Amino acid sequence: MIGRLISNDGPRSRWLALILIAIVLALAFTPFLFPGTKALNVAAKIIVFVVLVASFDLLLGYTGIVSFAHTMFFGIGAYGVAIASTRMGPGWSAVALGVAAALLVSLGLSLLIGLASLRVKAIFFAMITLAVASAFLTLASQLSDFTGGEDGLNFKVPEALQPGTQYLEEPLLGASVDGRFLTYYLLFVSALVLVLAMLRIVNSPFGRVLQAIRENDFRAEAIGYRTVVYRTIASVLSALFATLAGCLLALWLRYQGPDTSLSFEIMLDILLIVVIGGMGTIYGAVIGSVLFVIAQNYLQDLLRLGAGALEGVPLLSALVSPDRWLLWLGLLFVLSVYHFPTGVVGRLRALRAKGRS
């Protein structure tokens, strides 16, 4: 049953399986295990990034396409929900219309980019997607009457998802069962379904063709596959999943602005997570997102403790200052790439294979 659910694409490593089970259980019970607003926000961000990074890996890791326009589709999803909810008011019809409109826009743009640009090879296609994403970011910042400009859009979600909606008078196992609680589990279930759908895609005959194109697109073309068509479909699917991740982010934040989903820093974060987790594996998106988001949110707290313990030591206290958390994050990334060149998932699977030989 579980094998069919994950499309017979098992972790192929006992340690990897245990880590994935621990992550899923921790995310599933975060409201009960880690009470507090920050922990819930971090878990929600992990859930959104798992979908976002997995959708990008569908493009980069499985098809071999480098694109810098992924955050554009992420932002389209978030803006779709935000604009519809702002214009129509809070309600499920506004959310549904926003999601549908965002998917249609992403479908059209990704199809246009794919058909017009995927015949261009490697770095040239990446530069085209970067130009399109930059143009979209500028457009979103300047259309203030429509997108809120640099200030963004604050909006209300349906009443069932609002924090003021209480479903139980008393906390359940320490967790307040309210609209925020329901929103979190909406994100969790949606992300779980989307990740399983992507696992199904990459393990289907279509997914095998994508991997063949990644390895050698000339040979794939020679044996009869129209690689431009397959690459275009992969680009469209990746964009649609990224759009849905943006919709989930908007529902959680109840705010959308250019820096929330369209910034190039987010694109860099996605690339880092793919490398840390391991390219060409959906499981890498899960592990990479957890490691990166936790480091991003708790490294400063850890350094603050270290600075307090080393107070008075001239050089060390300055090095572990919370203001230098980006330095340590970069150092951790360099070390992870050095020790895990194929990502955490690739290293764990290699160790398993080495143990069997």
Side-chain angles (χ1 to χ4, degrees):
M1 177 63 182
I2 296 179
R4 292 181 61 185
L5 196 64
I6 61 174
S7 305
N8 296 313
D9 184 9
R12 300 200 295 274
S13 166
R14 183 178 303 172
W15 282 108
L16 179 58
L18 291 174
I19 292 171
L20 289 171
I21 291 171
I23 289 172
V24 172
L25 290 177
L27 291 175
F29 296 104
T30 291
F32 306 105
L33 296 175
F34 308 103
T37 303
K38 182 175 181 178
L40 200 61
N41 284 328
V42 170
K45 186 176 181 180
I46 289 172
I47 289 171
V48 171
F49 263 77
V50 166
V51 178
L52 179 62
V53 175
S55 67
F56 182 71
D57 199 38
L58 181 65
L59 200 62
L60 177 63
Y62 284 93
T63 318
I65 299 173
V66 180
S67 170
F68 292 118
H70 212 62
T71 51
M72 178 180 71
F73 301 111
F74 187 49
I76 288 172
Y79 269 117
V81 173
I83 293 172
S85 299
T86 302
R87 299 299 176 92
M88 299 175 60
W92 290 109
S93 58
V95 173
L97 180 62
V99 172
L103 288 174
L104 286 174
V105 172
S106 292
L107 174 64
L109 280 175
S110 60
L111 192 61
L112 184 64
I113 293 173
L115 293 176
S117 308
L118 280 177
R119 291 183 182 273
V120 181
K121 299 296 182 182
I123 191 64
F124 301 104
F125 173 72
M127 292 299 99
I128 289 173
T129 58
L130 178 60
V132 173
S134 299
F136 190 86
L137 174 59
T138 302
L139 194 65
S141 300
Q142 293 181 350
L143 294 177
S144 55
D145 293 337
F146 193 61
T147 64
E150 294 290 345
D151 295 330
L153 295 172
N154 288 291
F155 62 94
K156 291 184 178 180
V157 293
E159 186 178 356
L161 303 181
Q162 293 178 8
T165 304
Q166 294 288 334
Y167 291 98
L168 293 178
E169 294 182 0
E170 298 295 330
L172 178 65
L173 300 177
S176 177
V177 183
D178 52 14
R180 201 68 167 162
F181 180 91
L182 184 62
T183 305
Y184 177 81
Y185 281 104
L186 174 63
L187 263 64
F188 177 79
V189 174
S190 299
L192 188 61
V193 171
L194 292 174
V195 168
L196 291 176
M198 282 185 272
L199 272 174
R200 172 61 65 185
I201 290 171
V202 298
N203 288 287
S204 67
F206 171 78
R208 301 303 181 194
V209 175
L210 295 184
Q211 294 172 58
I213 293 172
R214 177 195 65 196
E215 297 300 325
N216 194 317
D217 60 344
F218 179 77
R219 288 185 180 179
E221 186 85 39
I223 61 177
Y225 293 109
R226 297 189 62 185
T227 57
V228 171
V229 174
Y230 280 91
R231 284 155 63 95
T232 301
I233 295 173
S235 179
V236 170
L237 288 174
S238 176
L240 294 180
F241 280 112
T243 302
L244 292 172
C247 295
L248 296 178
L249 179 70
L251 286 176
W252 180 255
L253 295 179
R254 293 167 292 158
Y255 166 79
Q256 166 59 14
D259 293 335
T260 307
S261 58
L262 293 173
S263 69
F264 191 68
E265 286 79 6
I266 297 177
M267 190 68 243
L268 292 178
D269 291 346
I270 296 171
L271 289 169
L272 291 178
I273 293 171
V274 168
V275 173
I276 292 170
M279 286 192 293
T281 165
I282 300 297
Y283 298 126
V286 179
I287 292 180
S289 297
V290 170
L291 293 176
F292 184 83
V293 175
I294 287 178
Q296 193 179 49
N297 285 273
Y298 289 104
L299 189 57
Q300 272 186 304
D301 296 336
L302 186 62
L303 289 175
R304 192 173 289 111
L305 291 175
L310 295 173
E311 187 177 0
V313 181
L315 182 60
L316 290 178
S317 60
L319 282 175
V320 298
S321 170
D323 296 333
R324 292 179 173 79
W325 72 277
L326 279 174
L327 169 67
W328 289 100
L329 185 63
L331 181 61
L332 289 174
F333 170 68
V334 171
L335 291 174
S336 67
V337 173
Y338 180 78
H339 291 287
F340 303 96
T342 57
V344 175
V345 172
R347 182 61 181 270
L348 291 175
R349 285 178 170 176
L351 290 174
R352 176 68 171 176
K354 186 178 179 180
R356 285 182 173 180
S357 60

